[in-house]
Amino acid sequence: MKHANATHVARQIRVISEKEWQSSGRNEKRELEANNSQIALTPKDVAKRLKEAVLTLRQLPMKDLKPPGYRSNWPDVVHDAAEAYGYDDSSYREDPPTAAAITQMDEAINWLCCLDKNHTRLVWMVADEIPWKKICRCFGISRATANRRWKYAIGRIVQFHP
């Protein structure tokens, strides 16, 4: 018996530049969007996916990454609003990300493999919404240079993405 998921076909991604997307005619855009076998990635899409990857990574539980110490075999206690009110500040723990979000995060992080170390750090810091002033101080460059290098790195991801 075949499952419904087995009938889905993997979609091939076609990468185009922002200028090519803007210069293409309306009919070409419709054909590209209507064709389910190809999805166009623009620099804006890459930047958006990297920001989503940062948010997804923040939502992942990090309890196993702590150094070893006193541990308990009991599951983590989930406090409700009634227990959190009063003595301590109330805290809200977001739901863990979905499997699709984690898959997209892994794909976006793999895009960074085509960049060198400094460009990878720069792209990740911008996606993490660290202020440009701190980024410039970290790399010892001006704001214009940092922006130019970020655009170059995003363009390189778009260019070399399979």
Side-chain angles (χ1 to χ4, degrees):
M1 178 179 202
K2 291 186 178 180
H3 296 288
N5 292 339
T7 60
H8 293 293
V9 178
R11 297 181 349 176
Q12 181 183 9
I13 297 176
R14 177 173 175 244
V15 180
I16 63 171
S17 66
E18 189 76 27
K19 289 181 182 178
E20 184 182 353
W21 176 256
Q22 290 174 352
S23 66
S24 62
R26 213 178 244 181
N27 293 333
E28 293 174 9
K29 287 180 184 178
R30 284 186 190 147
E31 289 175 10
L32 190 59
E33 289 173 350
N35 188 358
N36 288 338
S37 65
Q38 293 181 346
I39 299 173
L41 279 180
T42 63
K44 288 181 183 178
D45 294 334
V46 170
K48 181 182 172 189
R49 289 276 301 272
L50 287 169
K51 282 185 182 182
E52 290 172 358
V54 168
L55 294 175
T56 302
L57 193 62
R58 281 189 187 156
Q59 288 178 341
L60 286 173
M62 301 287 185
K63 68 176 186 176
D64 293 334
L65 299 178
K66 295 178 183 175
Y70 294 108
R71 294 188 181 180
S72 172
N73 290 333
W74 286 88
D76 291 338
V77 177
V78 179
H79 296 282
D80 61 353
E83 293 175 342
Y85 181 76
Y87 185 73
D88 294 329
D89 292 335
S90 62
S91 63
Y92 173 72
R93 184 168 57 167
E94 296 181 11
D95 294 333
T98 62
I102 293 172
T103 303
Q104 287 183 350
M105 177 197 67
D106 288 338
E107 182 182 355
I109 290 175
N110 284 335
W111 292 346
L112 300 175
C113 294
C114 69
L115 302 176
D116 64 347
K117 183 178 144 186
N118 288 331
H119 284 115
T120 300
R121 284 184 59 212
L122 176 66
V123 168
W124 193 257
M125 290 173 86
V126 171
D128 199 12
E129 296 180 350
I130 293 175
W132 283 100
K133 188 173 187 176
K134 288 185 179 180
I135 295 172
C136 294
R137 199 175 305 137
C138 177
F139 288 100
I141 55 178
S142 69
R143 168 76 162 85
T145 304
N147 193 16
R148 187 174 55 246
R149 289 181 184 176
W150 177 77
K151 286 180 180 179
Y152 169 78
I154 294 292
R156 191 169 167 99
I157 291 172
V158 170
Q159 180 184 4
F160 289 111
H161 186 268

